[in-house]
Every structure is written in structure tokens, then in C-alpha cells.
Amino acid sequence: MSETERAPANRTIDSVELRRAFGTFATGVTIITTLDESGAPRGMTANSFTSVSLDPPLVLICVGKSAASCEVFEKCSAFAVNVLHERQAGVSSVFASKSADKFSNVDYCAVHTGAPVLTDNLSWFDCTVYDKHVAGDHLILIGQVQAFGASPAAPLAFCRGRYAHIQNALPDGWLPSRGMITGYLIEKEGSVLLRCDAEGRLLLPVASKRKPGSRLELADGREVEILPDTAFLYSVFDVADSDPGYLVYRAALAPGFSPQDLPPELQFFPLDDLPDDRVASQELRAVLRRYARERLDHRFGIYVGHPEGGRIAMLEVETPSNSFQP
């Protein structure tokens, strides 16, 4: 029998009973997101998600043809999968509904492709579309992972039509994924804000959140007022296996915020005369030098890399479905 032929069914399948049988397979819960043609965020709850391949890194999601967002996902070139943790049943229910503004009560940001990545999640996968298929009443999207992250939280589970709790979600001996340090390139009148540590080395100010509003809360509890529309991801990189990775955002200091309001360990340094010998690492020196070059043309790139290498994507900068039934 060829791959395109199908054996005839021996009897009529009861779709209700079949759905119940499918529902015995316990799954996680995800929010799949993308942007529509106008650039507006779109998303829905789904539990039809699986890994496909490590090389290349591929994942698969299914979107029901009856879903309001199906046409958007069918046309998209990128999407994100946000895996939910056990405290996000409410978020799951909102995205499984027909709410007109599902994103009003969640924070999200663009990491690599532009698809919305929820800032609170168990894990996330930012993907470009690798392949598309239509199978029965569903659209199958295969995505190539361009960036991802994970946390040590317990997952939100779903089984037999309801949320379920997973015991021993973190077994003994499990080592959590390394966290990401979030640093900021904050500019004011051609100078960049740097933090001086106890040894006199210069580092970026470290933030407690991935993406702020008008006030950026630093790790020590102090706040810096910035222009929120200027905050964009600038660099993602690892330093060494023993160290955490880095997310670096760029932003501009708000005009009404005076550098005199900063603690003494935070100082502005001219971008054209940075004290390279005091910058804490080779990777940070490279980030600062690249920023100093790119700001002249107001054309920035996103660097994604590790100790063995990476790549820069340039940006032009202007001044439920079957998958889920709650």
C-alpha cells in the first residue's frame, strides 16, 4: 500500500469517545504566539506540541482549522511556544477563550524572531517556520528553534479535560538550567552607564526584569527612569560553561532623570573613550565596541552567540483547537 493510500475504516469512529481516549495522554500546556500581518500579537492555548529533532533543532505544533487564529498561523513566518508553569492555569484559560485582548494581562517581549515570548513561563522556544502541512482538520507547523530558555518551575499539566498536578516535578539530583543575567546598555548624550564592582572592574547595570516599563528596576532595588520605547534586545551570549548566559538590552535614559540621582558605583562613560582595560570581560568589551559603532548610523544588530562564535542579525531602526479544550 502506498503512503498516499489509506485502508478503509472497519467501523464508524465515535468522535466523542475518541476525544476522551486522546485525553488520557497527559501533556503540558502551551501558549503559541505569533504576529499578524499588521504586527499585532496573536496567541492561543495548545497542548499539541512536541520536539522533533535536535539537529536541526525542530519542534511541532498543531492548530485546529476552526481556531480563530488559524489563518494567522498559516501565513506566519515565525512563532513562539511558551510552555506554562503550574501557577498559570488562569493564563491558559484566557488564551483558550475568545477574548479580544488576550495579551492585556501578560508581559511579553521579542527575543529573536519578533514573535511574542511571555516573560513569565516554564520554558519558551522562539522559532522560524521550517515546514507546514495540513492533516485532516488541523494545520501542522514545524518550527526551527532560533532561541530558547527554561526555568526550574513545575509544569502545568493537562489530562482528561482538566488541569493536573505533577508530583516530584524536580526529582532529587536534578540541576536547574543556568539562569540568564539581564544587563542594560543605557545611553545618555553619547555616554553609556556602567557599574563599578568592588575590584574596580566595569560591568553593565543588572536588571531584575527582562523588559521594563518607564522605570528600570536594578538588581539592588534602585530604579532608573528610561524611555520605554527605546528598550530592545541587543545581545545574547554565553561566557563559559560555568557562568550564566547574558541578555543585553539597550535603552536611553529619560530626559528628566539626572545622573546625580544614581549611586556612586553607577557612572556614565563616553562611548568614544571607554576605559577598555577596566571592562570586566572580552565579551562585554566586544558588545560595547559594537554598540559604539552601530549607534553612529542608528542601525543596530542582535548578536546571538557562545564562546566558540555567533552571528549578528542586522535591524533597521526607526527614530483552542483540538489541541486544547478547557
Side-chain angles (χ1 to χ4, degrees), residues 37-52:
E37 293 179 329
S38 70
R42 298 290 294 271
M44 58 183 289
T45 303
N47 59 358
S48 288
F49 162 68
T50 186
S51 59
V52 174

Side-chain angles (χ1 to χ4, degrees), residues 1 21 25-26 33 39 52 60 67 75 87 93 96 99 146 148 155 170 187 227 233 246 254 261 266 273 277 285 320:
M1 180 179 294
F25 182 62
T33 58
V52 174
L60 178 151
K75 295 178 179 179
R87 299 183 301 279
S93 296
S99 171
Q146 303 296 334
F148 69 95
L170 295 178
E187 184 180 350
L227 296 173
L233 182 67
Y246 284 79
D261 298 329
L266 290 175
D273 189 25
D277 57 328
R285 281 194 294 272

